[in-house]
Amino acid sequence: MIVKDALRSLKDSGSKAVFYWLTFYLTSALMFLFFNMAESATHGETEFYLTDNLADLTKYLTQGNMGNLMMVFVVIMCSIDLVYANDFYVKNKTKELAVRMISGATFTQLAAYLLIQTLLLLLIAIPLGILSGLILIPVFNRILASAGSELFIEIQSYGLLQYFSVTGFIVCLTTVLNMSFAYKSTAILMLNGNIESMNSSGKTFVTEKTKAFDLIVSILALGLYILPVFLYYRGTSGMALYTLMGCFALERVLTGLFMPALTKLIRRRKLKDPADALAYGFLRKDIQVTRSTVYLFLVDTTVLVSMMFTRNNTPIERMLVMTSYVVISILQAMTMMFRLETELYSRNRDYRIMDQVGVSGEKRKKVCRKEILLYYGFVLAVTLIYMGNIAGALIISKSLSAGYAAVLIAIAAVPLIIAGILAEIYYRSVLNG
Amino acid sequence: MNEIVLETRNLKKVYNVGSLNAVTALHDVTIQVRKGDFLAVMGPSGSGKSTFINNISTIDTPTGGAVFINGKNVSAMSANETGRFRYQNLGFIFQDFNLLDSHTIYENIALPLSLAGVDPQKIEARVTELAKVLDITQLLNKLPGECSGGQRQRCAIARALVNHPGIIIADEPTGNLDSANGEELMELFQKMNREEGVTIVMVTHDAFMASYSSRLIFIKDGGISSELDRGDMDQDAYFAKIVEISSSRRRRVKE
């Protein structure tokens, strides 16, 4: 009965289930390619190798082995993406879960109900991910041959072992997430759609008074945020570190300068155009709840781009980084979309209030369009400030052609733009629903 | 004297515990509900009546105190025990009906029984029986979206009754109904209470709907401010008494 219900729930979830599945599929395909490429390189006796066990990890990392660094980085990033995708999928089912709870469903039944859906999606994603990997390997081999490499990627037993170990980890991770959601949720929180209070620490983003000291710190943070833009031109080594530093500074810039400025803007606009003020108000909340995913996106993309050019990489290393860059860019854009859509879904009360204050029909559509445009504009701007300058620095140092730089920027920007379009479609469906 | 089926001892609920915004919604509420009681809970907005009903019925977790249903301390139950306990003892009815929109009325009513692993033939027999009693047989293959508010609330009642619970918990069940449907629902509650001995705990803000009950408590500022037992009063006299108490409380608040 639970299996039948879970299947039906998957069918009812429609596009949400497709996006959730897409995360599994992309992760699966990336992992399959990644581990087999890396293991093929090991057998090809290049300097590129993965650790045989975790005890060796620190040693290899300190020796600057990129394979280990990549392995840790890619696995962590994929896990974070999966956490957000799972969050989005499960939280869209809060009412359904609440109704099951009040109908007498036990904790085990709820956890099993969610887990079966996840496992079914994984069962379809894994073979298709492997199949995609198998199709791509010959393509990559041709590219490697044309680049003059003697390396040949083939299916490696150890690569498969690593792939299945990581996939097993993903299954365990989603199981723990779903069980914890079923355990910690009370029926009343889910019935009220009060999913934010399950996660939120109750902090408010907008400070009422910005003291002189805070202002000075925020201005200094702005300087630190801009500093990497100049440092990129001094050399390609350390780009990832500069970006990381910039992200820490960005947090302070957002809380200390950007948000108070946005609040002032909302106050001014409220009198002139309430719909406009609503869009800015929602933008403020969007940035508040999704800013960690924005930082992740920024760090991921710049770390991977800098990995491509900070050393004399072998062709397979470049290919590995490029593959990871493409997949992680897509996954991160999806993650950001999931996080935003979870926020949009939890706003039913706000939408009712919008109706009550006369913001309905075309006005509501305008608010929705403006909010999405502003949000994705913000994300793109924050990303492109760094990405554009990294590309510029690489072009100047003749590490990169202008065409290749445009491709790299497009790989980061296009998934974001598509995610923005999908987010607006979803937003409209929530408003109309 | 009838046995106690529901009891709270020093029940407390605090929202945002540990933060500067902590709000005590219920404080030290102690009450006993006996088998066959039809208890109405009234109070002004924000008084804590919904918090009270949620915390006595396992759908929210109290911050302090204890809740006993049929002698069992529900606060001490594991997550799995709570699910089974709900199935065996409680039926829920809400203002918003809370039906699954993608499931037919039949599937919605059958849900508690399917979750408990009851034989499909027995499920069909029980759903059909209840549908006849509640006059919703013609709706069984429809989706909730295709039914009126009154019809949806009847379906929600059928789902709440399908597992023969001893206690019905109803939070503003007439809130989304017109007066005719609301009165019809109250007559149904009264019938279930009198003829089948079902215990009902119902939150309402409407004095007339409350006049169908056998006992009434007023909640104010998170505590029980007064109680009223219907005794031998007829409905009109009981209603007049509720209105009187309700308005005198309002006057006191004004003064």
Side-chain angles (χ1 to χ4, degrees):
Chain A
M1 186 258 170
I2 292 182
V3 178
K4 198 177 144 199
D5 273 8
L7 271 170
R8 186 176 179 167
S9 178
L10 267 178
K11 193 179 145 220
D12 291 342
S13 301
S15 60
K16 294 173 196 83
V18 173
F19 283 123
Y20 189 32
W21 172 82
L22 205 57
T23 309
F24 283 135
Y25 162 71
L26 286 169
T27 306
S28 178
L30 174 68
M31 294 292 177
F32 182 81
L33 272 172
F34 184 88
F35 289 120
N36 282 299
M37 282 164 80
E39 278 305 309
S40 296
T42 310
H43 285 255
E45 294 177 352
T46 66
E47 285 183 1
F48 184 93
Y49 49 89
L50 289 171
T51 51
D52 290 330
N53 57 59
L54 278 176
D56 294 334
L57 188 65
T58 317
K59 187 178 116 193
Y60 289 131
L61 279 174
T62 50
Q63 285 176 357
N65 181 282
M66 200 171 72
N68 290 296
L69 199 64
M70 285 281 298
M71 179 183 75
V72 174
F73 184 73
V74 167
V75 170
I76 290 174
M77 285 309 135
C78 288
S79 305
I80 292 170
D81 293 339
L82 282 169
V83 169
Y84 282 114
N86 188 75
D87 206 41
F88 165 71
Y89 184 72
V90 171
K91 283 179 180 169
N92 270 288
K93 294 187 169 295
T94 46
K95 188 194 164 191
E96 189 187 327
L97 291 169
V99 171
R100 287 179 177 276
M101 254 181 163
I102 58 164
S103 299
T106 61
F107 161 67
T108 315
Q109 280 175 319
L110 281 185
Y113 177 71
L114 289 172
L115 189 62
I116 287 167
Q117 296 182 47
T118 306
L119 289 179
L120 283 170
L121 290 174
L122 261 171
L123 275 176
I124 310 167
I126 291 171
L128 278 173
I130 292 174
L131 188 70
S132 307
L134 289 172
I135 293 168
L136 282 170
I137 283 174
V139 178
F140 283 8
N141 278 332
R142 272 202 290 278
I143 297 171
L144 280 172
S146 66
S149 171
E150 290 175 6
L151 260 170
F152 188 76
I153 307 166
E154 51 192 355
I155 305 300
Q156 301 288 334
S157 57
Y158 196 64
L160 285 176
L161 181 70
Q162 286 170 328
Y163 167 72
F164 284 111
S165 306
V166 173
T167 311
F169 166 73
I170 289 168
V171 173
C172 292
L173 179 72
T174 46
T175 307
V176 170
L177 288 172
N178 290 336
M179 286 182 75
S180 99
F181 184 82
Y183 187 76
K184 73 181 178 182
S185 307
T186 60
I188 194 64
L189 276 178
M190 292 202 280
L191 276 175
N192 291 341
N194 194 4
I195 50 183
E196 270 310 301
S197 61
M198 292 180 204
N199 290 335
S200 163
S201 58
K203 287 177 191 166
T204 52
F205 204 86
V206 182
T207 52
E208 284 178 16
K209 265 186 190 172
T210 306
K211 293 176 184 172
F213 177 74
D214 285 344
L215 187 64
I216 293 166
V217 172
S218 300
I219 292 167
L220 283 173
L222 182 63
L224 275 176
Y225 171 65
I226 297 167
L227 189 63
V229 169
F230 300 103
L231 293 174
Y232 293 149
Y233 291 92
R234 293 180 62 87
T236 49
S237 62
M239 277 180 171
L241 193 68
Y242 303 149
T243 305
L244 202 62
M245 178 188 81
C247 282
F248 280 117
L250 181 60
E251 166 71 9
R252 183 69 215 185
V253 173
L254 287 180
T255 52
L257 293 176
F258 188 75
M259 291 300 171
L262 205 51
T263 304
K264 277 182 191 163
L265 183 72
I266 292 164
R267 275 184 201 152
R268 276 209 307 271
R269 296 269 174 155
K270 211 167 228 169
L271 300 171
K272 288 180 189 163
D273 185 355
D276 224 23
L278 274 171
Y280 284 109
F282 285 146
L283 170 73
R284 186 174 56 191
K285 184 75 191 300
D286 294 341
I287 296 174
Q288 177 195 341
V289 295
T290 65
R291 66 190 196 278
S292 58
T293 55
V294 176
Y295 305 149
L296 268 179
F297 185 81
L298 203 56
V299 172
D300 286 354
T301 44
T302 48
V303 163
L304 287 167
V305 169
S306 59
M307 269 183 179
M308 285 183 214
F309 301 100
T310 48
R311 55 177 62 229
N312 294 323
N313 294 339
T314 59
I316 197 164
E317 282 178 333
R318 279 197 182 203
M319 185 172 286
L320 203 58
V321 181
M322 190 62 180
T323 310
S324 302
Y325 178 65
V326 172
V327 178
I328 294 268
S329 293
I330 297 170
L331 279 172
Q332 288 283 286
M334 283 171 61
T335 303
M336 222 178 289
M337 186 181 74
F338 290 145
R339 190 68 197 91
L340 180 68
E341 289 184 356
T342 307
E343 163 60 20
L344 298 178
Y345 179 78
S346 67
R347 264 194 217 155
N348 280 329
R349 196 171 155 267
D350 294 354
Y351 303 144
R352 276 204 300 274
I353 294 168
M354 274 165 80
D355 268 342
Q356 287 162 2
V357 297
V359 181
S360 51
E362 274 308 308
K363 273 188 188 169
R364 205 152 77 156
K365 280 182 193 165
K366 191 185 149 197
V367 172
C368 142
R369 196 176 307 123
K370 188 153 196 174
E371 179 192 350
I372 296 290
L373 268 173
L374 285 168
Y375 175 74
Y376 277 94
F378 162 79
V379 175
L380 273 169
V382 161
T383 310
L384 291 179
I385 285 173
Y386 280 2
M387 283 293 291
N389 282 290
I390 287 176
L394 290 169
I395 292 168
I396 288 170
S397 67
K398 293 188 176 154
S399 307
L400 189 66
S401 67
Y404 196 15
V407 170
L408 283 182
I409 290 174
I411 290 170
V414 171
L416 276 180
I417 294 166
I418 295 172
I421 295 166
L422 292 172
E424 199 195 333
I425 294 169
Y426 177 80
Y427 201 164
R428 282 177 185 229
S429 77
V430 171
L431 287 175
N432 294 332
Chain B
M1 178 79 65
N2 283 342
E3 60 179 296
I4 295 165
V5 289
L6 195 156
E7 183 179 9
T8 67
R9 291 180 197 160
N10 303 316
L11 185 66
K12 192 175 181 183
K13 180 69 183 178
V14 183
Y15 290 111
N16 305 322
V17 182
S19 80
L20 291 172
N21 304 324
V23 177
T24 304
L26 285 179
H27 51 83
D28 297 325
V29 175
T30 298
I31 189 173
Q32 292 179 336
V33 180
R34 294 181 182 278
K35 188 172 167 45
D37 270 358
F38 182 172
L39 177 73
V41 181
M42 287 186 77
S45 297
S47 58
K49 51 189 189 301
S50 285
T51 305
F52 169 72
I53 205 168
N54 292 334
N55 280 277
I56 62 166
S57 61
T58 74
I59 64 170
D60 201 357
T61 315
T63 316
V67 177
F68 294 87
I69 298 178
N70 292 327
K72 282 199 168 181
N73 185 351
V74 295
S75 320
M77 282 180 188
S78 71
N80 263 335
E81 280 175 318
T82 309
R84 273 194 297 275
F85 186 82
R86 277 191 198 117
Y87 170 75
Q88 288 161 352
N89 297 278
L90 302 166
F92 295 93
I93 300 164
F94 300 91
Q95 182 177 354
D96 297 329
F97 323 124
N98 285 322
L99 298 168
L100 295 177
D101 298 332
S102 56
H103 288 51
T104 63
I105 297 298
Y106 178 94
E107 289 158 351
N108 268 288
I109 299 171
L111 184 63
L113 299 179
S114 343
L115 282 166
V118 175
D119 179 64
Q121 282 182 331
K122 286 184 183 166
I123 295 179
E124 191 172 352
R126 177 68 179 147
V127 174
T128 313
E129 177 198 347
L130 269 174
K132 270 185 198 157
V133 174
L134 292 160
D135 195 21
I136 50 171
T137 310
Q138 74 286 3
L139 304 175
L140 289 178
N141 292 321
K142 287 190 175 179
L143 292 170
E146 296 166 339
C147 305
S148 70
Q151 288 171 329
R152 273 185 273 175
Q153 195 57 297
R154 281 169 174 274
C155 300
I157 293 166
R159 184 185 60 194
L161 292 174
V162 78
N163 50 334
H164 301 281
I167 305 170
I168 292 282
I169 304 289
D171 191 359
E172 300 264 12
T174 58
N176 273 337
L177 304 180
D178 56 31
S179 57
N181 273 311
E183 282 169 35
E184 206 180 315
L185 176 66
M186 285 302 102
E187 276 160 20
L188 188 68
F189 271 21
Q190 207 170 45
K191 194 177 162 200
M192 278 161 27
N193 174 248
R194 285 178 181 168
E195 292 175 12
E196 294 171 38
V198 177
T199 306
I200 299 171
V201 181
M202 175 185 77
V203 164
T204 183
H205 62 272
D206 187 323
F208 184 66
M209 298 305 168
S211 71
Y212 284 87
S213 69
S214 60
R215 194 180 149 203
L216 182 123
I217 56 169
F218 280 99
I219 290 192
K220 188 187 156 196
D221 299 332
I224 296 173
S225 64
S226 53
E227 286 191 59
L228 180 65
D229 206 319
R230 179 168 179 167
D232 296 329
M233 277 186 269
D234 64 18
Q235 191 171 356
D236 288 341
Y238 187 45
F239 172 62
K241 192 81 182 163
I242 294 169
V243 173
E244 186 192 324
I245 293 176
S246 191
S247 48
S248 66
R249 286 177 62 255
R250 278 196 193 128
R251 278 200 303 276
R252 276 203 299 274
V253 171
K254 259 189 162 179
E255 283 156 18

